[in-house]
Short mmCIF file of all heavy atoms in Angstrom, two decimals:
data_model
loop_
_atom_site.label_atom_id
_atom_site.label_comp_id
_atom_site.label_asym_id
_atom_site.label_seq_id
_atom_site.Cartn_x
_atom_site.Cartn_y
_atom_site.Cartn_z
N THR A 31 -12.67 7.26 -8.66
CA THR A 31 -13.53 7.02 -9.92
C THR A 31 -12.70 6.48 -11.02
O THR A 31 -13.28 5.97 -11.91
CB THR A 31 -14.21 8.34 -10.26
OG1 THR A 31 -13.19 9.32 -10.51
CG2 THR A 31 -15.10 8.89 -9.22
N THR A 32 -11.42 6.61 -10.93
CA THR A 32 -10.58 6.19 -12.02
C THR A 32 -9.44 5.34 -11.38
O THR A 32 -8.87 5.71 -10.26
CB THR A 32 -9.84 7.37 -12.77
OG1 THR A 32 -10.95 8.13 -13.40
CG2 THR A 32 -9.00 6.83 -13.80
N MET A 33 -9.15 4.29 -11.97
CA MET A 33 -8.04 3.43 -11.57
C MET A 33 -7.21 3.03 -12.84
O MET A 33 -7.81 3.01 -13.92
CB MET A 33 -8.42 2.17 -10.80
CG MET A 33 -8.96 2.53 -9.42
SD MET A 33 -9.32 1.00 -8.55
CE MET A 33 -9.92 1.66 -6.93
N PHE A 34 -5.88 2.81 -12.65
CA PHE A 34 -5.10 2.36 -13.84
C PHE A 34 -4.56 1.02 -13.60
O PHE A 34 -4.15 0.69 -12.53
CB PHE A 34 -3.99 3.44 -14.00
CG PHE A 34 -4.44 4.80 -14.25
CD1 PHE A 34 -4.67 5.72 -13.30
CD2 PHE A 34 -4.75 5.26 -15.59
CE1 PHE A 34 -5.11 7.06 -13.48
CE2 PHE A 34 -5.20 6.51 -15.86
CZ PHE A 34 -5.34 7.41 -14.77
N TRP A 35 -4.45 0.26 -14.72
CA TRP A 35 -3.87 -1.04 -14.68
C TRP A 35 -2.56 -1.02 -15.52
O TRP A 35 -2.60 -0.61 -16.70
CB TRP A 35 -4.77 -2.03 -15.16
CG TRP A 35 -5.88 -2.43 -14.26
CD1 TRP A 35 -7.12 -1.86 -14.15
CD2 TRP A 35 -5.77 -3.30 -13.14
NE1 TRP A 35 -7.81 -2.46 -13.13
CE2 TRP A 35 -7.03 -3.31 -12.46
CE3 TRP A 35 -4.81 -4.15 -12.61
CZ2 TRP A 35 -7.30 -4.07 -11.32
CZ3 TRP A 35 -4.98 -4.89 -11.44
CH2 TRP A 35 -6.24 -4.87 -10.77
N TYR A 36 -1.55 -1.54 -14.96
CA TYR A 36 -0.18 -1.58 -15.64
C TYR A 36 0.28 -3.01 -15.70
O TYR A 36 -0.12 -3.84 -14.85
CB TYR A 36 0.88 -0.71 -14.89
CG TYR A 36 0.63 0.78 -14.80
CD1 TYR A 36 -0.25 1.29 -13.80
CD2 TYR A 36 1.13 1.59 -15.77
CE1 TYR A 36 -0.46 2.64 -13.73
CE2 TYR A 36 0.92 2.96 -15.72
CZ TYR A 36 0.16 3.51 -14.70
OH TYR A 36 -0.04 4.83 -14.63
N ARG A 37 1.19 -3.23 -16.64
CA ARG A 37 1.78 -4.52 -16.75
C ARG A 37 3.32 -4.31 -16.75
O ARG A 37 3.72 -3.37 -17.39
CB ARG A 37 1.35 -5.19 -18.01
CG ARG A 37 1.90 -6.54 -18.24
CD ARG A 37 1.24 -7.13 -19.41
NE ARG A 37 1.71 -8.51 -19.72
CZ ARG A 37 1.21 -9.31 -20.69
NH1 ARG A 37 0.34 -8.89 -21.59
NH2 ARG A 37 1.67 -10.53 -20.82
N GLN A 38 4.04 -5.14 -15.99
CA GLN A 38 5.47 -4.95 -15.93
C GLN A 38 6.15 -6.31 -16.13
O GLN A 38 5.99 -7.20 -15.41
CB GLN A 38 5.86 -4.37 -14.55
CG GLN A 38 7.34 -4.04 -14.50
CD GLN A 38 7.69 -3.48 -13.12
OE1 GLN A 38 7.10 -3.85 -12.07
NE2 GLN A 38 8.80 -2.72 -13.06
N PHE A 39 6.91 -6.38 -17.22
CA PHE A 39 7.77 -7.62 -17.47
C PHE A 39 8.98 -7.54 -16.70
O PHE A 39 9.49 -6.39 -16.36
CB PHE A 39 7.96 -7.73 -18.92
CG PHE A 39 6.71 -8.16 -19.68
CD1 PHE A 39 6.11 -7.21 -20.53
CD2 PHE A 39 6.18 -9.37 -19.61
CE1 PHE A 39 4.96 -7.53 -21.24
CE2 PHE A 39 5.07 -9.81 -20.38
CZ PHE A 39 4.48 -8.80 -21.14
N PRO A 40 9.61 -8.60 -16.45
CA PRO A 40 10.86 -8.58 -15.64
C PRO A 40 11.84 -7.60 -16.09
O PRO A 40 12.21 -7.59 -17.30
CB PRO A 40 11.37 -10.08 -15.67
CG PRO A 40 10.17 -10.90 -16.00
CD PRO A 40 9.25 -10.00 -16.73
N LYS A 41 12.34 -6.83 -15.15
CA LYS A 41 13.41 -5.87 -15.44
C LYS A 41 13.00 -4.84 -16.55
O LYS A 41 13.87 -4.30 -17.21
CB LYS A 41 14.69 -6.53 -15.82
CG LYS A 41 15.29 -7.46 -14.78
CD LYS A 41 16.61 -8.05 -15.10
CE LYS A 41 17.11 -8.97 -13.98
NZ LYS A 41 18.41 -9.54 -14.26
N GLN A 42 11.74 -4.68 -16.64
CA GLN A 42 11.29 -3.64 -17.65
C GLN A 42 10.34 -2.62 -16.92
O GLN A 42 10.00 -2.74 -15.72
CB GLN A 42 10.51 -4.26 -18.73
CG GLN A 42 11.38 -5.15 -19.65
CD GLN A 42 10.68 -5.61 -20.78
OE1 GLN A 42 9.83 -5.02 -21.35
NE2 GLN A 42 10.95 -6.90 -21.34
N SER A 43 9.93 -1.64 -17.69
CA SER A 43 9.13 -0.55 -17.09
C SER A 43 7.65 -0.99 -17.02
O SER A 43 7.28 -1.98 -17.55
CB SER A 43 9.37 0.75 -17.97
OG SER A 43 8.73 1.75 -17.31
N LEU A 44 6.91 -0.09 -16.54
CA LEU A 44 5.42 -0.24 -16.46
C LEU A 44 4.82 0.19 -17.76
O LEU A 44 5.12 1.28 -18.22
CB LEU A 44 4.84 0.48 -15.29
CG LEU A 44 5.03 -0.06 -13.95
CD1 LEU A 44 6.40 0.09 -13.38
CD2 LEU A 44 3.95 0.55 -12.89
N MET A 45 3.90 -0.62 -18.30
CA MET A 45 3.18 -0.19 -19.49
C MET A 45 1.72 -0.14 -19.11
O MET A 45 1.18 -1.07 -18.60
CB MET A 45 3.40 -1.26 -20.58
CG MET A 45 4.79 -1.40 -21.00
SD MET A 45 5.50 0.10 -21.65
CE MET A 45 4.48 0.36 -23.16
N LEU A 46 1.22 1.00 -19.37
CA LEU A 46 -0.28 1.24 -19.09
C LEU A 46 -1.03 0.39 -20.06
O LEU A 46 -0.93 0.41 -21.23
CB LEU A 46 -0.63 2.65 -19.23
CG LEU A 46 -2.06 3.12 -18.98
CD1 LEU A 46 -2.42 2.87 -17.49
CD2 LEU A 46 -2.32 4.51 -19.37
N MET A 47 -1.92 -0.42 -19.41
CA MET A 47 -2.92 -1.29 -20.10
C MET A 47 -4.14 -0.60 -20.42
O MET A 47 -4.68 -0.64 -21.52
CB MET A 47 -3.13 -2.62 -19.39
CG MET A 47 -1.84 -3.41 -19.14
SD MET A 47 -2.29 -4.87 -18.12
CE MET A 47 -3.28 -5.77 -19.28
N ALA A 48 -4.74 -0.12 -19.34
CA ALA A 48 -6.06 0.43 -19.47
C ALA A 48 -6.42 1.45 -18.29
O ALA A 48 -5.77 1.33 -17.22
CB ALA A 48 -7.12 -0.64 -19.49
N THR A 49 -7.38 2.19 -18.56
CA THR A 49 -7.95 3.12 -17.51
C THR A 49 -9.33 2.52 -17.12
O THR A 49 -10.23 2.41 -17.99
CB THR A 49 -8.04 4.50 -17.97
OG1 THR A 49 -6.76 4.94 -18.44
CG2 THR A 49 -8.52 5.45 -16.89
N SER A 50 -9.47 2.30 -15.84
CA SER A 50 -10.75 1.76 -15.39
C SER A 50 -11.56 2.90 -14.90
O SER A 50 -11.19 3.75 -14.08
CB SER A 50 -10.45 0.78 -14.21
OG SER A 50 -11.66 0.37 -13.56
N ASN A 51 -12.82 3.01 -15.34
CA ASN A 51 -13.67 4.17 -15.01
C ASN A 51 -14.96 3.57 -14.23
O ASN A 51 -15.63 2.69 -14.86
CB ASN A 51 -14.19 4.89 -16.25
CG ASN A 51 -12.86 5.39 -17.00
OD1 ASN A 51 -12.12 6.17 -16.55
ND2 ASN A 51 -12.84 4.88 -18.30
N GLU A 52 -15.24 4.09 -13.13
CA GLU A 52 -16.35 3.56 -12.31
C GLU A 52 -17.64 4.09 -13.06
O GLU A 52 -17.78 5.25 -13.45
CB GLU A 52 -16.34 4.28 -10.91
CG GLU A 52 -17.37 3.72 -9.94
CD GLU A 52 -18.74 4.45 -9.99
OE1 GLU A 52 -18.66 5.64 -10.34
OE2 GLU A 52 -19.73 3.84 -9.50
N GLY A 53 -18.47 3.10 -13.37
CA GLY A 53 -19.70 3.38 -13.96
C GLY A 53 -19.78 3.42 -15.48
O GLY A 53 -20.75 3.74 -16.08
N SER A 54 -18.57 3.21 -16.00
CA SER A 54 -18.57 3.19 -17.54
C SER A 54 -17.49 2.25 -17.97
O SER A 54 -16.79 1.64 -17.15
CB SER A 54 -18.24 4.61 -18.02
OG SER A 54 -17.02 5.11 -17.63
N LYS A 55 -17.33 2.14 -19.28
CA LYS A 55 -16.37 1.22 -19.81
C LYS A 55 -15.03 1.63 -19.56
O LYS A 55 -14.66 2.80 -19.58
CB LYS A 55 -16.67 0.97 -21.34
CG LYS A 55 -17.96 0.30 -21.65
CD LYS A 55 -18.09 0.04 -23.16
CE LYS A 55 -19.40 -0.66 -23.43
NZ LYS A 55 -19.59 -0.90 -24.89
N ALA A 56 -14.10 0.63 -19.56
CA ALA A 56 -12.70 0.95 -19.43
C ALA A 56 -12.15 1.44 -20.75
O ALA A 56 -12.69 1.15 -21.71
CB ALA A 56 -11.95 -0.28 -18.93
N THR A 57 -11.13 2.20 -20.69
CA THR A 57 -10.43 2.71 -21.79
C THR A 57 -9.09 1.97 -21.97
O THR A 57 -8.31 2.09 -21.08
CB THR A 57 -10.11 4.19 -21.72
OG1 THR A 57 -11.42 4.89 -21.46
CG2 THR A 57 -9.53 4.72 -22.99
N TYR A 58 -8.88 1.33 -23.08
CA TYR A 58 -7.73 0.48 -23.28
C TYR A 58 -6.71 1.18 -24.11
O TYR A 58 -7.07 1.90 -25.08
CB TYR A 58 -8.12 -0.87 -23.97
CG TYR A 58 -8.95 -1.86 -23.08
CD1 TYR A 58 -10.34 -1.60 -22.93
CD2 TYR A 58 -8.35 -2.84 -22.38
CE1 TYR A 58 -11.08 -2.49 -22.05
CE2 TYR A 58 -9.07 -3.68 -21.56
CZ TYR A 58 -10.40 -3.48 -21.38
OH TYR A 58 -11.14 -4.35 -20.55
N GLU A 59 -5.45 0.88 -23.75
CA GLU A 59 -4.34 1.42 -24.64
C GLU A 59 -4.23 0.65 -25.91
O GLU A 59 -4.65 -0.48 -26.03
CB GLU A 59 -3.16 1.40 -23.86
CG GLU A 59 -3.03 2.26 -22.60
CD GLU A 59 -3.30 3.71 -22.85
OE1 GLU A 59 -2.46 4.27 -23.70
OE2 GLU A 59 -4.24 4.31 -22.38
N GLN A 60 -3.60 1.28 -26.90
CA GLN A 60 -3.42 0.63 -28.19
C GLN A 60 -2.69 -0.68 -27.99
O GLN A 60 -1.65 -0.68 -27.31
CB GLN A 60 -2.67 1.55 -29.14
CG GLN A 60 -2.69 1.08 -30.55
CD GLN A 60 -2.04 2.22 -31.48
OE1 GLN A 60 -1.61 3.22 -31.00
NE2 GLN A 60 -2.17 1.97 -32.72
N GLY A 61 -3.22 -1.70 -28.65
CA GLY A 61 -2.56 -2.98 -28.60
C GLY A 61 -2.96 -3.88 -27.50
O GLY A 61 -2.50 -5.10 -27.47
N VAL A 62 -3.74 -3.39 -26.55
CA VAL A 62 -4.24 -4.24 -25.51
C VAL A 62 -5.61 -4.86 -25.86
O VAL A 62 -6.53 -4.09 -26.21
CB VAL A 62 -4.33 -3.40 -24.21
CG1 VAL A 62 -4.96 -4.31 -23.01
CG2 VAL A 62 -3.02 -2.86 -23.82
N GLU A 63 -5.68 -6.14 -25.75
CA GLU A 63 -6.95 -6.83 -26.16
C GLU A 63 -7.99 -6.65 -25.07
O GLU A 63 -7.88 -7.25 -24.05
CB GLU A 63 -6.63 -8.26 -26.46
CG GLU A 63 -5.68 -8.52 -27.51
CD GLU A 63 -5.36 -10.08 -27.60
OE1 GLU A 63 -6.35 -10.88 -27.91
OE2 GLU A 63 -4.26 -10.47 -27.40
N LYS A 64 -9.09 -5.96 -25.34
CA LYS A 64 -10.09 -5.77 -24.37
C LYS A 64 -10.90 -6.98 -24.03
O LYS A 64 -11.40 -7.15 -22.90
CB LYS A 64 -11.02 -4.63 -24.83
CG LYS A 64 -11.71 -4.86 -26.11
CD LYS A 64 -12.63 -3.67 -26.44
CE LYS A 64 -11.80 -2.46 -26.77
NZ LYS A 64 -12.66 -1.34 -27.22
N ASP A 65 -10.97 -7.90 -24.97
CA ASP A 65 -11.69 -9.18 -24.72
C ASP A 65 -10.89 -10.12 -23.85
O ASP A 65 -11.39 -11.10 -23.27
CB ASP A 65 -12.10 -9.84 -25.98
CG ASP A 65 -13.04 -8.99 -26.77
OD1 ASP A 65 -13.87 -8.24 -26.10
OD2 ASP A 65 -13.08 -9.08 -27.97
N LYS A 66 -9.53 -9.93 -23.80
CA LYS A 66 -8.66 -10.81 -23.10
C LYS A 66 -8.52 -10.26 -21.61
O LYS A 66 -8.41 -10.99 -20.70
CB LYS A 66 -7.35 -10.95 -23.74
CG LYS A 66 -6.42 -11.85 -23.02
CD LYS A 66 -5.25 -12.23 -23.81
CE LYS A 66 -4.38 -13.30 -23.09
NZ LYS A 66 -5.16 -14.54 -22.85
N PHE A 67 -8.33 -8.98 -21.50
CA PHE A 67 -8.19 -8.31 -20.18
C PHE A 67 -9.45 -7.56 -19.82
O PHE A 67 -9.64 -6.34 -20.27
CB PHE A 67 -6.97 -7.31 -20.28
CG PHE A 67 -5.71 -8.15 -20.59
CD1 PHE A 67 -5.19 -8.09 -21.89
CD2 PHE A 67 -5.00 -8.79 -19.65
CE1 PHE A 67 -3.93 -8.79 -22.20
CE2 PHE A 67 -3.82 -9.42 -19.83
CZ PHE A 67 -3.30 -9.46 -21.13
N LEU A 68 -10.33 -8.27 -19.21
CA LEU A 68 -11.63 -7.60 -18.81
C LEU A 68 -11.50 -6.78 -17.56
O LEU A 68 -11.00 -7.19 -16.54
CB LEU A 68 -12.65 -8.73 -18.65
CG LEU A 68 -12.93 -9.57 -19.80
CD1 LEU A 68 -13.98 -10.62 -19.49
CD2 LEU A 68 -13.39 -8.80 -21.01
N ILE A 69 -11.99 -5.59 -17.71
CA ILE A 69 -11.89 -4.66 -16.49
C ILE A 69 -13.29 -4.22 -16.06
O ILE A 69 -14.04 -3.85 -16.91
CB ILE A 69 -11.01 -3.39 -16.77
CG1 ILE A 69 -9.58 -3.87 -17.02
CG2 ILE A 69 -11.18 -2.37 -15.76
CD1 ILE A 69 -8.68 -2.71 -17.46
N ASN A 70 -13.50 -4.36 -14.72
CA ASN A 70 -14.80 -3.95 -14.20
C ASN A 70 -14.50 -3.06 -13.05
O ASN A 70 -13.91 -3.48 -12.07
CB ASN A 70 -15.63 -5.22 -13.78
CG ASN A 70 -16.95 -4.89 -13.18
OD1 ASN A 70 -17.60 -3.79 -13.52
ND2 ASN A 70 -17.53 -5.69 -12.30
N HIS A 71 -15.08 -1.89 -13.05
CA HIS A 71 -14.92 -0.94 -11.93
C HIS A 71 -16.27 -0.91 -11.17
O HIS A 71 -17.13 -0.09 -11.37
CB HIS A 71 -14.63 0.46 -12.46
CG HIS A 71 -13.94 1.40 -11.55
ND1 HIS A 71 -12.83 2.11 -11.81
CD2 HIS A 71 -14.27 1.68 -10.28
CE1 HIS A 71 -12.41 2.79 -10.87
NE2 HIS A 71 -13.31 2.56 -9.86
N ALA A 72 -16.38 -1.89 -10.28
CA ALA A 72 -17.68 -2.17 -9.62
C ALA A 72 -18.18 -1.12 -8.68
O ALA A 72 -19.27 -0.92 -8.43
CB ALA A 72 -17.50 -3.53 -8.90
N SER A 73 -17.30 -0.46 -8.02
CA SER A 73 -17.55 0.54 -7.09
C SER A 73 -16.47 1.61 -6.99
O SER A 73 -15.45 1.52 -7.79
CB SER A 73 -17.78 -0.08 -5.67
OG SER A 73 -16.52 -0.46 -5.18
N LEU A 74 -16.65 2.54 -6.15
CA LEU A 74 -15.69 3.70 -6.02
C LEU A 74 -14.41 3.29 -5.26
O LEU A 74 -13.51 4.08 -5.27
CB LEU A 74 -16.28 4.89 -5.35
CG LEU A 74 -17.39 5.61 -6.13
CD1 LEU A 74 -18.08 6.62 -5.18
CD2 LEU A 74 -16.74 6.27 -7.30
N THR A 75 -14.38 1.99 -4.86
CA THR A 75 -13.18 1.55 -4.21
C THR A 75 -12.66 0.23 -4.81
O THR A 75 -11.68 -0.31 -4.30
CB THR A 75 -13.49 1.29 -2.73
OG1 THR A 75 -14.47 0.40 -2.53
CG2 THR A 75 -13.79 2.65 -2.05
N LEU A 76 -13.22 -0.23 -5.83
CA LEU A 76 -12.81 -1.55 -6.37
C LEU A 76 -12.90 -1.61 -7.83
O LEU A 76 -13.81 -1.34 -8.58
CB LEU A 76 -13.77 -2.70 -5.85
CG LEU A 76 -13.59 -4.05 -6.42
CD1 LEU A 76 -12.25 -4.65 -6.00
CD2 LEU A 76 -14.64 -5.01 -5.86
#
Side-chain angles (χ1 to χ4, degrees):
Chain A
T31 56
T32 301
M33 292 184 176
F34 299 94
W35 286 97
Y36 296 86
R37 182 174 182 177
Q38 185 182 29
F39 289 106
K41 299 184 179 181
Q42 294 188 30
S43 189
L44 282 75
M45 297 300 295
L46 180 65
M47 299 175 64
T49 303
S50 174
N51 305 298
E52 192 270 336
S54 63
K55 291 183 179 181
T57 305
Y58 290 82
E59 296 299 302
Q60 190 173 7
V62 177
E63 300 175 61
K64 60 181 66 177
D65 293 331
K66 182 168 186 61
F67 299 100
L68 300 179
I69 291 174
N70 181 27
H71 202 131
S73 71
L74 288 172
T75 59
L76 173 64

